[in-house]
Amino acid sequence: MASVSRTYATGEVLVQAVRRSLTPLFRVHPEIVDSLFNRHIAPELAQASISGDLEAEVDRLRQESYRELQRYFREPRPITRLGEDVPIVYPDSLIEKGVAGTVEMQVYLDAEGQPQAIMLLESVHPVLDRLAMQATAQMRWQPAYVRRGDEWVAVPSWVRFNIRYRIPEG
């Protein structure tokens, strides 16, 4: 969205703009997040009307919406740390060849936070991809939680995870 000083937006335009801005959260658990968004966020946005800088207003509404959604849904968080709890293997032969980059993966976690499936989204090199996926399989996560009444219940979810391989300086 381009920044416009006197843009006017109402209702469905705001709902769609804020929904798009929350795409990373929707990827975690689309059905739950969409349901919560439609129940707790969309009705308020549908009644809203703004004038001024649309981009700034959507950013403000995204932040407010995210905080509201956190009252009902918690994203998974890593418990283990790469390089400390889980070793990162980077073969000397690939360092010498200057092979570097970020391996991006999408990981399906069960309700206990254990990786069950890993899908490669962005490749660097077949060996680094395989090593990154093996390290990711060793990761442990605090699972996603959804609030049901007064209780927080662990649910399976997705998380995007990156491992960056950089050529050491020096």
Side-chain angles (χ1 to χ4, degrees):
M1 281 180 261
S3 203
V4 178
S5 61
R6 296 285 297 159
T7 300
Y8 296 90
T10 60
E12 191 59 31
V13 171
L14 286 176
V15 170
Q16 292 308 316
V18 172
R19 184 186 308 269
R20 274 192 309 276
S21 73
L22 291 168
T23 296
L25 183 59
F26 276 84
R27 287 181 182 140
V28 174
H29 201 303
E31 296 86 8
I32 289 175
V33 175
D34 191 53
S35 174
L36 292 170
F37 183 89
N38 288 334
R39 182 173 184 188
H40 299 286
I41 308 298
E44 295 292 323
L45 293 174
Q47 303 299 320
S49 176
I50 62 167
S51 62
D53 187 342
L54 181 60
E55 186 175 334
E57 195 63 15
V58 167
D59 188 53
R60 182 186 67 76
L61 291 168
R62 177 193 57 78
Q63 291 174 25
E64 287 179 13
S65 298
Y66 185 79
R67 280 192 298 278
E68 179 67 15
L69 289 170
Q70 283 186 315
R71 294 179 56 211
Y72 306 97
F73 183 76
R74 300 282 162 80
E75 299 171 81
R77 303 204 185 283
I79 295 172
T80 52
R81 294 176 304 266
L82 281 174
E84 294 177 32
D85 303 316
V86 176
I88 301 173
V89 179
Y90 195 174
D92 292 339
S93 61
L94 294 178
I95 293 171
E96 290 169 6
K97 290 180 181 178
V99 177
T102 301
V103 178
E104 184 178 343
M105 296 156 285
Q106 184 165 299
V107 184
Y108 182 73
L109 305 172
D110 65 17
E112 285 77 43
Q114 305 291 322
Q116 298 299 304
I118 302 170
M119 182 168 76
L120 183 65
L121 299 176
E122 195 70 36
S123 175
V124 172
H125 181 278
V127 172
L128 292 182
D129 299 345
R130 183 174 44 78
L131 292 169
M133 292 174 77
Q134 287 173 346
T136 301
Q138 295 174 43
M139 293 289 296
R140 294 301 170 254
W141 305 78
Q142 176 184 345
Y145 287 91
V146 65
R147 192 171 90 188
R148 294 197 176 122
D150 292 334
E151 288 187 39
W152 287 94
V153 178
V155 293
S157 63
W158 291 92
V159 66
R160 290 206 175 189
F161 190 67
N162 300 327
I163 296 182
R164 187 171 182 183
Y165 290 94
R166 287 191 248 175
I167 305 297
E169 294 181 19

